[in-house]
Amino acid sequence: MISFRQTIMILVGASLMLVDSTVAFVPPSHPNAVPQSSSSSALMLSTSTTEGLIKTTNTPSADWELDCYSRPVMVGGKKLWEVLLTDSTGSFRYCKTLPSNQVNSKEVRRVVEEAIDESDIKPQTIRFFRGAMFNMINIALSDVEVVAKPSRCTFELASWLEERHRDVYPEMDGFKASMRDLADRPAFFDVRTPLKLPDALRGEKYAFVGLPVAEFLADGSIGDDNIGVGKICTVPEGVAADSFVQGIVILTSRAKALATWLAGTEVVGMSCDLRKRTMVMETDIDNEYLMARLDDEQREEANIFEEGKAALGGLHFISVQIDENEDPAGFWLLRDLPTGI
């Protein structure tokens, strides 16, 4: 069996991009791909409207994820508000509705404390991704013995929200599709300007590569023992095991320093702006860092990367290594947050 390190060596050898040059790499196609679920234990929960705690057979985690926001449902002429809690493995789901006149930090803290009291493992960290709710959630968690982290690395929560928007809210009395349509609309202007990555953390070489989805499943070669300080999100349900996940390998002599920095800054993912010809790293709630500028050939490679991400619902990876012969100092399997949640 080819190991994870050998796979990276093969692929990086096929596609190595210096700051000003690249070699095109197109992963093999698999026309006979068969869908394979990666988290079937939670499937029964997707259509549940039950409040309170529901557990799955997944291993509990001390990394929790929280959302408090209005939903596309009107109740008594007012928006439905919910607090949702889960952990990074999807071992439980906790849902509570709030009256619209009681949406405040005190009520959010009460719901969090109730969930903690009923949980098998107490949280060490609670992540939340909505910038609009930052102040309220931050205040709510300030009196709870957890580390509050504003971060878009809320992959289980995002999957749950997708399920609820698809299967739960449309079946509820008072559902208003137009309210979700408004949430789907992008801002007219995106005024964010990527920050310059500190010179001490910049990679010397980059490679666009692809890895089979099977490598991230139960019998795959990628696991906690060979991803350094990185993390692996759950592969979304229905992704074919023999399809390819697109990713970017960063080769740098400062791999340990860069990987440690990425772990601390809540790396969310990589994106390539084909119009601006830039490769950008996204972190926490809304920060961006400029990683590289793309020439014509690199732009074509970046287009393959973005198309591959879109085909797998935003799934992609980042690997930070000294060179192609070494295990990663940090490897992250990531997923872009879906719109309209």
Side-chain angles (χ1 to χ4, degrees):
M1 177 181 294
I2 296 178
S3 68
F4 175 33
R5 181 191 300 178
Q6 290 172 318
T7 303
I8 288 289
M9 288 174 61
I10 293 169
L11 296 176
V12 172
S15 173
L16 189 60
M17 179 179 75
L18 301 176
V19 173
D20 58 356
S21 64
T22 187
V23 177
F25 170 81
V26 182
S29 60
H30 293 269
N32 298 319
V34 178
Q36 178 169 338
S37 172
S38 60
S39 55
S40 58
S41 61
L43 296 183
M44 68 183 73
L45 305 178
S46 64
T47 58
S48 174
T49 58
T50 304
E51 285 198 25
L53 178 68
I54 301 177
K55 297 182 180 180
T56 75
T57 58
N58 297 343
T59 303
S61 168
D63 288 333
W64 284 24
E65 301 170 5
L66 164 68
D67 186 41
C68 174
Y69 207 61
S70 62
R71 309 305 180 198
V73 178
M74 300 296 291
V75 178
K78 297 181 179 180
K79 292 181 179 178
L80 171 69
W81 282 80
E82 290 179 330
V83 178
L84 302 181
L85 281 155
T86 185
D87 63 6
S88 61
T89 62
S91 74
F92 77 91
R93 289 176 172 181
Y94 194 87
C95 173
K96 283 284 187 177
T97 60
L98 292 179
S100 59
N101 63 350
Q102 294 182 25
V103 179
N104 54 56
S105 59
K106 181 179 179 180
E107 287 299 304
V108 173
R109 179 170 62 251
R110 178 184 62 80
V111 174
V112 171
E113 289 174 340
E114 287 178 357
I116 291 175
D117 288 341
E118 295 185 43
S119 65
D120 295 325
I121 292 182
K122 308 307 179 187
Q124 296 178 358
T125 301
I126 298 182
R127 291 178 171 82
F128 56 96
F129 72 92
R130 291 194 197 274
M133 302 301 293
F134 175 85
N135 288 336
M136 181 185 297
I137 294 177
N138 209 40
I139 293 171
L141 297 180
S142 63
D143 290 330
V144 181
E145 293 184 0
V146 297
V147 176
K149 281 194 176 182
S151 169
R152 286 171 286 172
C153 295
T154 50
F155 306 115
E156 285 295 327
L157 180 62
S159 294
W160 185 16
L161 281 165
E162 277 189 305
E163 293 173 10
R164 292 185 70 78
H165 278 285
R166 182 186 67 234
D167 302 328
V168 177
Y169 303 133
E171 301 301 319
M172 296 176 70
D173 293 337
F175 171 70
K176 302 290 184 182
S178 58
M179 293 171 64
R180 186 179 182 189
D181 292 341
L182 288 173
D184 274 331
R185 294 178 186 174
F188 187 76
F189 291 112
D190 185 353
V191 297
R192 290 180 299 172
T193 299
L195 304 172
K196 182 181 178 182
L197 195 68
D199 290 339
L201 297 174
R202 295 182 67 84
E204 289 100 28
K205 301 175 184 178
Y206 304 87
F208 289 100
V209 302
L211 288 171
V213 170
E215 296 290 346
F216 302 98
L217 301 180
D219 296 328
S221 65
I222 303 176
D224 292 339
D225 59 339
N226 58 8
I227 61 172
V229 296
K231 290 185 177 180
I232 298 177
C233 74
T234 303
V235 176
E237 170 198 348
V239 174
D242 56 354
S243 56
F244 270 68
V245 182
Q246 296 297 308
I248 295 175
V249 177
I250 304 172
L251 300 179
T252 172
S253 58
R254 298 176 289 270
K256 184 176 181 179
L258 176 57
T260 301
W261 181 79
L262 292 180
T265 197
E266 293 287 301
V267 59
V268 176
M270 284 283 204
S271 62
C272 295
D273 189 318
L274 303 181
R275 182 179 62 84
K276 296 180 181 179
R277 297 172 178 264
T278 56
M279 181 169 68
V280 171
M281 177 177 290
E282 302 187 30
T283 66
D284 51 65
I285 284 185
D286 58 5
N287 280 336
E288 296 181 341
Y289 291 90
L290 178 64
M291 299 296 292
R293 298 191 181 277
L294 309 173
D295 61 24
D296 288 344
E297 292 186 18
Q298 293 162 1
R299 186 172 180 272
E300 291 299 317
E301 192 77 353
N303 185 50
I304 295 172
F305 171 75
E306 288 296 333
E307 288 180 347
K309 278 205 308 179
L312 296 185
L315 199 68
H316 64 292
F317 68 85
I318 301 171
S319 184
V320 180
Q321 303 170 215
I322 293 178
D323 57 41
E324 58 267 33
N325 297 311
E326 297 291 331
D327 278 340
F331 184 100
W332 289 264
L333 180 65
L334 305 162
R335 186 188 176 204
D336 293 345
L337 282 186
T339 59
I341 60 171

